[in-house]
Amino acid sequence: MADVYERIARAAERAGRNPLSVRLIGVTKGVGLPAIREAFESGLRDVGENRVQEALEKMASADAWSGSDSARLAWHLVGRLQSNKVRAAVGRFDVIHSVDSLRLGQAIDDAAARAGLVQRVLIQVNVGREPQKGGVAPEEVEPLWNTLSSCRHVRLDGLMAIPPAASDPEQMRQYFQELRRLGCVVGAAEYSMGMSGDFEIAVEEGATMVRVGTAIFGLRVVA
């Protein structure tokens, strides 16, 4: 993991950025608690899960050792959120990265209102316009942002994207630039972009959160 932090720092410095402005999210889908705890003890403070139920099971055990102060483990939902899992997710995840419709955003707002809290979220953007992926089309970002901004129990922090797969990480740059362009239009503060194969390019293009799994935990066999 030290190597990942070093690569983030070098990429940030190339872009004239403070390395501390980039948050490393360790993606832990299919990763057992011992490996998560080892990463936590090595300094990782943010983890990302794809599935609500798997995350909740891990949270129940991790709460015992991850602390409740500034050194605690923060949980991010980086996978698609189904409507029937909204109530379970709200208040348990620090940030939900995958809001991709007005209906989902309003459901999160309703659940957060019932729980008496404000849920931090990101709007997922389908920058590659891939039909098999979640996310709103680029032209839908501003209308959705403006509507959800009126929700009292949702805090819009920024945007998230999963660009099309490519063999050359440099091919991702255009998608990261597009996400930044969209974020500048709406006033986004956070940009969740970049994974194990391309996070350095993402940092150069302004990522504030990078979602890294394989480069930290190695290859995993997941269903």
Side-chain angles (χ1 to χ4, degrees), residues 89-134:
V90 165
R92 291 297 284 153
F93 290 93
D94 291 73
V95 186
I96 296 173
H97 290 228
S98 50
V99 174
D100 61 0
S101 70
L102 176 59
R103 180 179 179 182
L104 179 58
Q106 290 176 331
I108 293 171
D109 182 60
D110 290 343
R114 286 194 294 269
L117 54 85
V118 175
Q119 176 66 57
R120 296 170 59 198
V121 305
L122 307 179
I123 291 176
Q124 182 176 351
V125 186
N126 191 339
V127 288
R129 301 180 185 272
E130 297 175 277
Q132 75 276 18
K133 285 184 179 177

Side-chain angles (χ1 to χ4, degrees), residues 32-99:
L33 279 167
I36 296 173
R37 183 167 187 173
E38 181 180 354
F40 174 78
E41 291 174 349
S42 296
L44 186 69
R45 290 295 177 265
D46 295 82
V47 296
E49 283 284 337
N50 290 68
R51 298 172 180 169
V52 173
Q53 192 56 45
E54 180 181 346
L56 293 177
E57 292 169 1
K58 291 176 181 177
M59 289 176 190
S61 298
D63 283 348
W65 47 259
S66 66
S68 58
D69 55 14
S70 59
R72 74 178 186 87
L73 195 61
W75 296 82
H76 300 250
L77 182 64
V78 298
R80 186 172 265 175
L81 176 58
Q82 298 175 325
S83 58
N84 64 343
K85 299 291 186 182
V86 168
R87 292 186 67 180
V90 165
R92 291 297 284 153
F93 290 93
D94 291 73
V95 186
I96 296 173
H97 290 228
S98 50
V99 174

